[in-house]
Every structure is written in structure tokens, then in C-alpha cells.
Amino acid sequence: MKTRILGQGLEVSAIGLGCMGMDHAYGAPADRQEMIKLIRHAVELGCNFFDTAVVYGEANELLLGKALEIYPREKVKIATKFGITGQRLVNGKPENILDSKPDSIKKQLDESLKRLNVDYIDLYYQHRVDPEVEPEVVASVMKELIAEGKIKHWGLSNAPLDYLKRAHAICPVTCIENQYSMVFRSPEEEIFKVCEELGIGFVAYSPLGNGFLSGKYTKDTKYAEGDFRNTMGRFRPEVMETNQALLDLLAKIAEDKKATSAQIVLAWELAQRSWIVPIPGTTKIHRLEENLDGAKIELSNEELQKINQALDNLEIDETHF
């Protein structure tokens, strides 16, 4: 597996593994032993970058810790998050409970270290900005935790750019984690420019558009109870029909390259910037192997131009929820 450098010298596999779907958002939690087997198989295939968060359920951090305990600590890079301490219902809809006060951050970190069964976190993200706490305060805590050796690097997820710049001035940010894919290209507008200027990496979640870009779903697909694709705009039958032209294009390119649509999508994303690292998630061994092999696909400048021209000409509905 090729590697990439995010910000501040953090080197990780070119494609990581997002663990959210093993416990959260896609229905019932996956079988523990099967997921341990999958995570360890990822390591065997050269993936060393694993993404979790306590809001996915404490079981998710426990699972990752158990799966990785057999490896030398320096062999794997673990990313987890702080800042969301729970959820509550507001008008019948779940809303995050945000808390990035210094004492709370330290408590959240100690709890994550215990669940993951490690002495330090490689990459510690602020999962969501707390409007009650200034970025300089959060960054100062990160600086302190890095000095103590409890974390190696820190990052931000879905933070405003002004917040990012102010935080980075106090304690250099290693990367920002946001959604990015062929059907969600918003980061290209401003975020990539700031990452380039500040030397910050970009970790892309939902690089396959929550599975949409894999070409494995149609407007007639039924999702399990508890699967949040039931409420996502891009999976509405009429939206999928509108975006079918993109799926057809990917399938044709994949056929020509003797690859899969998912691999073409991941190869395209890797080609956009040298400091982008996608973290597709899966609970299936064969999908894991398929995704990680996306790092082996080389798209020519002509192929990339063809894809980008097609993307520019297609009417893509970016509706998320």
C-alpha cells in the first residue's frame, strides 16, 4: 500500500478504513468477531489508518482497540474524536450535544485511551465545533496534550475556515476531515486552497457517497431499518435517476480499466491532491479488498480530464439529508 503525508509529517496509508458503519448509521451493529477479522485483514493488506469516534458508540472504540492490540503500537495510526458527548431529540430529530471545554476534552480523551487500550492517539479530531469555546482555547488544549504525549496530532471535522485558521495559529492542525466525493465536491471551492496554503492534509469521509457511487444501489433498493440512507436525499429514487448518467460513466471507465466503479472513484479522489486520504467504510471483507485496491489504479491525465468534464456537465444533486 502506498502512503501519503497529511500535515505535520503524519504518514498514513493512501486509503484508510472508516469504522463508523460497524456500529452506527447503517442498521444493527456488525458481528464483533467478523469486524475484528476485517480490521486485521486491512492491516495485512497494508492499511494502517483507522478512523473511529465515541459518538459511533463506545463499542466502536472498544472494537478497534481489541482488533489492533496484537500489533506494535507504531504499526497503526488511530484517529478518534472529541467534542460530541451525546445526542438528544429536538422536535423528534437527533441533535448532537457539543462540549469542547478544556476539562471535558481531557476527560473525553482519557476515556477514549482506556477504550482503545493505548497510551496515545495518533490523530485527535474535534468532531464538531463548540460555539461556546473559542478555537484558541481548543488549540491550546491540543498543544498541551501533544506536549504530554497523549496525542501525536490533531485535526478538525467540518469546521469553518476562519476557525481552522485561528486554531492553526496556536497549534498546527494536521488535517481536516470533511465529506468529499464526486457527488459532494464543495471542499474544492475554498477548503483545498486553505489546506494547500497551510500545509494541512484532507481526510475524506463518505468518498463513495455513502455507497451511492459504488453502483451497487438503484432507485428500487430497500435499506434496513436504522440505515440512514432511508432519509438521505441522494438516495431518493428521483435523485438517483437524475444522477444515473454519472454511474453509467463510472461503469464504462471501470470496464475499460478492468476495475470496479468504486475503485475508479477512489483513484479519481486520490488524483485530485497528493494530501487527500479517503476513508471508505465497510463491513464486508470483499468490499475492503476492493476499496484498498483502488490505490493501485492509475488514471491517465486524459481519463481524469474525461471524468472531470463529465462531472462538470452532469446535473449532480448534492442533497445530503
Side-chain angles (χ1 to χ4, degrees):
M1 170 72 74
K2 299 173 184 176
T3 61
R4 291 195 157 198
I5 305 292
L6 295 171
Q8 315 312 315
L10 178 58
E11 185 173 6
V12 299
S13 51
I15 296 177
L17 176 61
C19 298
M20 180 186 80
M22 298 175 185
D23 283 289
H24 180 75
Y26 292 104
D31 179 85
R32 299 295 86 177
Q33 291 307 310
E34 288 299 313
M35 293 306 95
I36 288 173
K37 179 180 176 183
L38 184 146
I39 291 167
R40 291 177 178 174
H41 189 50
V43 177
E44 293 165 6
L45 294 174
C47 174
N48 75 346
F49 186 39
F50 300 89
D51 184 273
T52 182
V54 66
V55 77
Y56 305 155
E58 293 183 3
N60 206 249
E61 286 187 330
L62 289 166
L63 169 66
L64 189 58
K66 181 66 177 175
L68 298 179
E69 67 182 5
I70 65 172
Y71 302 106
R73 182 64 188 87
E74 65 278 2
K75 185 178 177 68
V76 295
K77 307 299 181 186
I78 297 173
T80 192
K81 307 173 185 76
F82 69 92
I84 300 179
T85 56
Q87 291 188 320
R88 61 190 164 213
L89 288 177
V90 177
N91 297 322
K93 294 183 179 180
E95 182 180 275
N96 292 326
I97 300 171
L98 305 174
D99 191 348
S100 285
K101 298 180 185 67
D103 288 346
S104 180
I105 292 174
K106 294 172 183 178
K107 180 175 182 290
Q108 291 173 60
L109 174 59
D110 286 342
E111 291 170 349
S112 287
L113 289 170
K114 185 176 181 180
R115 283 189 292 268
L116 288 161
N117 193 28
V118 293
D119 294 326
Y120 64 88
I121 303 296
D122 296 282
L123 179 56
Y124 202 39
Y125 291 110
Q126 184 182 35
H127 206 162
R128 292 294 184 273
V129 166
D130 182 346
E132 303 297 321
V133 184
E134 297 296 324
E136 289 84 1
V137 173
V138 174
S140 294
V141 175
M142 296 299 105
K143 194 171 187 178
E144 181 182 337
L145 294 174
I146 290 171
E148 292 175 2
K150 288 189 171 183
I151 66 174
K152 298 295 186 181
H153 300 266
W154 83 290
L156 295 165
S157 181
N158 292 291
L161 290 180
D162 179 63
Y163 186 101
L164 167 64
K165 292 174 182 178
R166 289 169 59 188
H168 183 76
I170 302 299
C171 182
V173 173
T174 290
C175 67
I176 188 162
E177 181 184 76
N178 283 32
Q179 181 178 185
Y180 178 56
S181 72
M182 287 180 177
V183 290
F184 195 87
R185 299 175 67 187
S186 299
E188 296 175 353
E189 297 168 12
E190 292 184 273
I191 295 174
F192 284 1
K193 181 181 178 182
V194 173
C195 286
E196 194 82 63
E197 289 173 353
L198 300 181
I200 295 172
F202 186 98
V203 173
Y205 69 77
S206 301
L208 297 173
N210 305 99
F212 172 82
L213 291 164
S214 69
K216 307 221 167 34
Y217 305 101
T218 71
K219 61 185 178 62
D220 300 315
T221 301
K222 304 298 181 186
Y223 304 99
E225 184 179 350
D227 188 322
F228 78 158
R229 284 174 293 201
N230 283 310
T231 60
M232 290 187 76
R234 69 176 60 132
F235 287 93
R236 292 187 193 123
E238 67 273 16
V239 175
M240 292 199 74
E241 200 163 358
T242 298
N243 294 340
Q244 186 61 44
L246 172 58
L247 302 183
D248 293 342
L249 169 68
L250 292 173
K252 177 63 171 64
I253 294 172
E255 183 181 5
D256 293 343
K257 300 287 284 188
K258 294 181 172 57
T260 67
S261 292
Q263 290 170 341
I264 297 301
V265 171
L266 292 168
W268 170 86
E269 189 153 303
L270 289 169
Q272 300 311 300
R273 299 290 191 282
S274 63
W275 32 261
I276 292 176
V277 175
I279 52 167
T282 186
T283 58
K284 299 178 174 64
I285 291 283
H286 68 284
R287 294 280 179 253
L288 171 74
E289 294 172 344
E290 176 186 359
N291 291 342
L292 295 182
D293 277 347
K296 299 176 182 178
I297 304 295
E298 294 286 345
L299 295 173
S300 68
N301 288 334
E302 184 179 351
E303 288 166 330
L304 287 167
Q305 186 176 18
K306 181 180 178 181
I307 293 171
N308 287 330
Q309 283 178 345
L311 286 171
D312 290 339
N313 292 331
L314 288 172
E315 182 184 342
I316 301 299
D317 188 326
E318 284 195 0
T319 307
H320 187 36
F321 288 104

